[in-house]
Short mmCIF file of all heavy atoms in Angstrom, two decimals:
data_model
loop_
_atom_site.label_atom_id
_atom_site.label_comp_id
_atom_site.label_asym_id
_atom_site.label_seq_id
_atom_site.Cartn_x
_atom_site.Cartn_y
_atom_site.Cartn_z
N GLY A 32 49.53 0.98 44.50
CA GLY A 32 49.53 2.07 45.46
C GLY A 32 50.93 2.63 45.61
O GLY A 32 51.92 2.06 45.13
N ASP A 33 51.03 3.76 46.30
CA ASP A 33 52.33 4.39 46.49
C ASP A 33 52.25 5.31 47.70
O ASP A 33 51.30 6.09 47.84
CB ASP A 33 52.70 5.19 45.23
CG ASP A 33 54.14 5.70 45.25
OD1 ASP A 33 54.94 5.22 46.08
OD2 ASP A 33 54.46 6.58 44.43
N GLY A 34 53.25 5.22 48.57
CA GLY A 34 53.31 6.10 49.73
C GLY A 34 52.05 6.02 50.56
O GLY A 34 51.61 4.92 50.95
N PRO A 35 51.40 7.16 50.82
CA PRO A 35 50.20 7.15 51.65
C PRO A 35 48.96 6.66 50.93
O PRO A 35 47.90 6.54 51.56
CB PRO A 35 50.05 8.63 52.04
CG PRO A 35 50.66 9.37 50.91
CD PRO A 35 51.81 8.52 50.43
N LEU A 36 49.06 6.39 49.63
CA LEU A 36 47.89 6.00 48.83
C LEU A 36 47.92 4.48 48.59
O LEU A 36 48.50 4.00 47.62
CB LEU A 36 47.88 6.75 47.49
CG LEU A 36 47.88 8.27 47.59
CD1 LEU A 36 48.07 8.89 46.22
CD2 LEU A 36 46.59 8.77 48.23
N ALA A 37 47.33 3.74 49.50
CA ALA A 37 47.22 2.29 49.35
C ALA A 37 45.91 1.96 48.63
O ALA A 37 44.87 2.57 48.90
CB ALA A 37 47.26 1.60 50.72
N LEU A 38 45.95 1.00 47.71
CA LEU A 38 44.79 0.62 46.92
C LEU A 38 44.40 -0.81 47.24
O LEU A 38 45.25 -1.70 47.29
CB LEU A 38 45.09 0.75 45.42
CG LEU A 38 45.58 2.12 44.93
CD1 LEU A 38 45.89 2.07 43.45
CD2 LEU A 38 44.53 3.20 45.22
N ARG A 39 43.11 -1.05 47.43
CA ARG A 39 42.62 -2.38 47.72
C ARG A 39 41.44 -2.71 46.81
O ARG A 39 40.51 -1.91 46.67
CB ARG A 39 42.14 -2.49 49.18
CG ARG A 39 43.22 -2.18 50.19
CD ARG A 39 44.25 -3.29 50.27
NE ARG A 39 45.23 -3.04 51.31
CZ ARG A 39 46.41 -2.43 51.11
NH1 ARG A 39 46.72 -2.02 49.87
NH2 ARG A 39 47.24 -2.24 52.10
N ARG A 40 41.46 -3.89 46.21
CA ARG A 40 40.27 -4.34 45.47
C ARG A 40 39.25 -4.82 46.49
O ARG A 40 39.55 -5.66 47.35
CB ARG A 40 40.62 -5.47 44.51
CG ARG A 40 39.40 -5.95 43.74
CD ARG A 40 39.73 -6.78 42.54
NE ARG A 40 38.53 -6.98 41.71
CZ ARG A 40 38.55 -7.38 40.46
NH1 ARG A 40 39.70 -7.63 39.86
NH2 ARG A 40 37.43 -7.51 39.79
N THR A 41 38.05 -4.28 46.43
CA THR A 41 37.00 -4.61 47.40
C THR A 41 35.77 -5.14 46.67
O THR A 41 35.67 -5.06 45.43
CB THR A 41 36.63 -3.37 48.24
OG1 THR A 41 36.42 -2.24 47.38
CG2 THR A 41 37.76 -3.03 49.21
N ARG A 42 34.84 -5.69 47.44
CA ARG A 42 33.67 -6.32 46.84
C ARG A 42 32.78 -5.28 46.17
O ARG A 42 32.37 -4.30 46.78
CB ARG A 42 32.88 -7.06 47.92
CG ARG A 42 31.66 -7.83 47.36
CD ARG A 42 30.87 -8.45 48.50
NE ARG A 42 31.67 -9.39 49.24
CZ ARG A 42 31.81 -10.68 48.92
NH1 ARG A 42 31.20 -11.15 47.83
NH2 ARG A 42 32.55 -11.48 49.65
N ALA A 43 32.48 -5.51 44.91
CA ALA A 43 31.64 -4.59 44.15
C ALA A 43 30.17 -4.86 44.45
O ALA A 43 29.75 -6.01 44.61
CB ALA A 43 31.91 -4.73 42.66
N THR A 44 29.38 -3.80 44.53
CA THR A 44 27.94 -3.93 44.76
C THR A 44 27.14 -3.74 43.49
O THR A 44 25.92 -3.75 43.52
CB THR A 44 27.48 -2.90 45.82
OG1 THR A 44 27.81 -1.58 45.36
CG2 THR A 44 28.16 -3.16 47.16
N ARG A 45 27.82 -3.55 42.37
CA ARG A 45 27.19 -3.40 41.07
C ARG A 45 28.14 -3.97 40.03
O ARG A 45 29.21 -4.46 40.36
CB ARG A 45 26.85 -1.93 40.79
CG ARG A 45 28.03 -1.01 40.89
CD ARG A 45 27.63 0.46 40.94
NE ARG A 45 26.86 0.84 39.78
CZ ARG A 45 25.71 1.48 39.83
NH1 ARG A 45 25.19 1.79 41.00
NH2 ARG A 45 25.06 1.82 38.73
N ALA A 46 27.75 -3.95 38.77
CA ALA A 46 28.57 -4.54 37.72
C ALA A 46 29.94 -3.87 37.67
O ALA A 46 30.07 -2.67 37.89
CB ALA A 46 27.87 -4.39 36.37
N GLY A 47 30.95 -4.69 37.38
CA GLY A 47 32.30 -4.16 37.25
C GLY A 47 33.13 -4.34 38.49
O GLY A 47 32.80 -5.11 39.40
N SER A 48 34.25 -3.63 38.55
CA SER A 48 35.21 -3.73 39.63
C SER A 48 35.07 -2.56 40.59
O SER A 48 34.50 -1.51 40.25
CB SER A 48 36.64 -3.74 39.07
OG SER A 48 36.79 -4.75 38.10
N ARG A 49 35.63 -2.74 41.77
CA ARG A 49 35.64 -1.69 42.78
C ARG A 49 37.01 -1.63 43.43
O ARG A 49 37.58 -2.65 43.79
CB ARG A 49 34.57 -1.96 43.84
CG ARG A 49 34.53 -0.95 44.99
CD ARG A 49 33.53 -1.38 46.02
NE ARG A 49 33.55 -0.55 47.22
CZ ARG A 49 32.99 -0.87 48.38
NH1 ARG A 49 32.35 -2.02 48.50
NH2 ARG A 49 33.06 -0.07 49.41
N VAL A 50 37.52 -0.41 43.60
CA VAL A 50 38.80 -0.18 44.26
C VAL A 50 38.57 0.84 45.37
O VAL A 50 37.91 1.87 45.17
CB VAL A 50 39.86 0.34 43.28
CG1 VAL A 50 41.14 0.75 44.02
CG2 VAL A 50 40.18 -0.72 42.23
N THR A 51 39.12 0.56 46.55
CA THR A 51 39.02 1.46 47.69
C THR A 51 40.40 2.00 48.02
O THR A 51 41.37 1.24 48.13
CB THR A 51 38.44 0.73 48.92
OG1 THR A 51 37.12 0.26 48.60
CG2 THR A 51 38.36 1.65 50.13
N VAL A 52 40.48 3.33 48.13
CA VAL A 52 41.74 3.98 48.51
C VAL A 52 41.81 4.01 50.03
O VAL A 52 40.91 4.52 50.70
CB VAL A 52 41.81 5.40 47.94
CG1 VAL A 52 43.15 6.06 48.32
CG2 VAL A 52 41.63 5.39 46.42
N VAL A 53 42.89 3.48 50.57
CA VAL A 53 43.09 3.39 52.02
C VAL A 53 44.30 4.25 52.38
O VAL A 53 45.38 4.07 51.81
CB VAL A 53 43.31 1.94 52.46
CG1 VAL A 53 43.52 1.87 53.97
CG2 VAL A 53 42.14 1.07 52.05
N GLY A 54 44.14 5.17 53.31
CA GLY A 54 45.27 6.00 53.72
C GLY A 54 46.27 5.19 54.53
O GLY A 54 45.95 4.69 55.61
N ALA A 55 47.49 5.05 54.01
CA ALA A 55 48.52 4.27 54.70
C ALA A 55 49.34 5.11 55.67
O ALA A 55 50.09 4.59 56.48
CB ALA A 55 49.46 3.64 53.67
N MET A 56 49.19 6.44 55.59
CA MET A 56 49.87 7.36 56.50
C MET A 56 49.18 8.70 56.42
O MET A 56 48.34 8.92 55.54
CB MET A 56 51.36 7.49 56.13
CG MET A 56 51.58 7.95 54.69
SD MET A 56 53.30 7.82 54.14
CE MET A 56 54.04 9.13 55.09
N THR A 57 49.48 9.58 57.35
CA THR A 57 48.84 10.90 57.35
C THR A 57 49.27 11.69 56.12
O THR A 57 50.46 11.88 55.88
CB THR A 57 49.23 11.67 58.63
OG1 THR A 57 48.79 10.92 59.76
CG2 THR A 57 48.56 13.03 58.65
N ALA A 58 48.31 12.14 55.35
CA ALA A 58 48.59 12.91 54.13
C ALA A 58 47.26 13.43 53.59
O ALA A 58 46.20 12.83 53.84
CB ALA A 58 49.29 12.03 53.10
N PRO A 59 47.29 14.54 52.85
CA PRO A 59 48.50 15.29 52.47
C PRO A 59 48.90 16.32 53.54
O PRO A 59 48.05 16.96 54.15
CB PRO A 59 48.05 16.00 51.19
CG PRO A 59 46.57 16.18 51.37
CD PRO A 59 46.09 15.00 52.16
N LEU A 60 50.21 16.46 53.71
CA LEU A 60 50.79 17.49 54.55
C LEU A 60 51.40 18.56 53.65
O LEU A 60 51.66 18.31 52.47
CB LEU A 60 51.86 16.91 55.47
CG LEU A 60 51.47 15.74 56.37
CD1 LEU A 60 52.69 15.26 57.14
CD2 LEU A 60 50.36 16.15 57.33
#
Side-chain angles (χ1 to χ4, degrees):
D33 189 15
L36 303 172
L38 304 178
R39 301 288 184 267
R40 180 165 191 163
T41 49
R42 183 184 299 274
T44 58
R45 56 194 302 130
S48 306
R49 177 185 173 196
V50 172
T51 299
V52 181
V53 180
M56 56 191 289
T57 301
L60 304 177

